Each structure stands twice: as C-alpha cells, then as structure tokens.
Amino acid sequence: MKLFKSIIIVALLSHVCLSDEIHRYGTTAANFLEIGIGSASGGMGEAYVAVANDLSAIYWNPAGLSSLKGVGIQFMIQPWVVNINTIFTAGAVNVPRIGTFALSLTQIGYGQMDVTTLAYQEGTGEKFTANELALTLSFGRRLVPWFAFGANAKLVQSNIWHASANAFALDLGVLV
C-alpha cells in the first residue's frame, strides 16, 4: 500500500513539474467529428448508437457494420450556411465468416474567407480556405447472435490557411 501511495505521489509531482503551461485557452480541434452522419440518426435526435446497421455505423458504432451483407456504398452531401459543406462517402464489403471491412472519408469545407487583421478589419484583399477530413478504416463482426464488436482506425487532418495538423484516432464499439 505504501508503494502504491509513493507511485501516485511521484506521478502527480512529475505531471505538475514537467507539464507545459497552456497558452491557447478555448481552442479545439477536429470538432467536425461531432457532426452526425445520416438522416435517420438526425430524425432520432442522434440517439442512434445502438441501432446503426448501415454504413453510417462507421460514425455511430462500428459494431453495427456486422449487420451488413454483401457490398454497400453510401454518399452524403450536407450543405450548411455560409458555404460550409460536409461530405461523407463510404464503402463496405462483408467477407463471410470473417466480418465486414469498410473504408470511409468524411470531409468538411468551410469555403473561402477574407483575411483580416487589426489594421484591415474589412479584409486585406487576400482569401483563405479551411477544411478538415477523416479517413477511416473499419471492421465489424458478429461473434454470436447477441454480441458484435467493431473498430475504426482514423487518420484526421485539419487545414486552415498556412497551418495544418494531423492525428490518429481509434474507436471501439460493441452491440449486446
């Protein structure tokens, strides 16, 4: 017990001593990953995690891919205000006795915007664009009639004007 307490104290102290101060309060990244995919989920108030059984399951719960049979393709274009557009495209193939493999691309473009500065608040005459995308490789399998599991491996990229960032994410899901 004493060793456990010592390890906790050392971990907390090293975190406090070695952590950097955050200079960019309130910034976020990859918020486009919170935008739901599919009209059926929107109609259910996005309470769709347990019932996703089409290619939108890549977003909601990859275990739902286990319900797919054969080959499937899905495209979605969702226009928003001020030239913001979301595109989702996915394809899947079910391999009998192995599971369902899927590949999807989610992209959001924010359109062209004016470059502004403190001196030129109406714009400098320059334009810039911003976009984000996620490339997802998915797998889902039903082990027994009452249990399925799934996983997503995601490459996420954000670009705005001259800056860009990349990340890797892993999603896991089950259906019981």
Side-chain angles (χ1 to χ4, degrees), residues 12-28:
L12 288 173
L13 287 175
S14 66
H15 176 71
V16 170
C17 295
L18 300 176
S19 66
D20 290 334
E21 183 181 337
I22 298 172
H23 298 288
R24 296 180 61 195
Y25 295 103
T27 60
T28 59

Side-chain angles (χ1 to χ4, degrees), residues 34-67:
E34 296 177 7
I35 297 172
I37 300 297
S39 59
S41 61
M44 292 180 60
E46 296 194 352
Y48 205 65
V49 173
V51 296
N53 61 0
D54 58 2
L55 279 170
S56 69
I58 294 169
Y59 174 83
W60 296 105
N61 184 354
L65 291 172
S66 64
S67 299

Side-chain angles (χ1 to χ4, degrees), residues 94-117:
N94 179 273
V95 180
R97 294 189 300 274
I98 294 177
T100 301
F101 294 92
L103 183 66
S104 73
L105 178 70
T106 305
Q107 190 266 342
I108 186 166
Y110 297 100
Q112 273 197 338
M113 293 171 265
D114 295 325
V115 175
T116 60
T117 65

Side-chain angles (χ1 to χ4, degrees), residues 53-98:
N53 61 0
D54 58 2
L55 279 170
S56 69
I58 294 169
Y59 174 83
W60 296 105
N61 184 354
L65 291 172
S66 64
S67 299
L68 296 175
K69 303 293 181 228
V71 177
I73 297 175
Q74 181 176 356
F75 298 100
M76 180 196 82
I77 298 174
Q78 184 176 15
W80 291 54
V81 296
V82 295
N83 292 329
I84 298 173
N85 292 301
T86 302
I87 297 171
F88 174 79
T89 183
V93 61
N94 179 273
V95 180
R97 294 189 300 274
I98 294 177

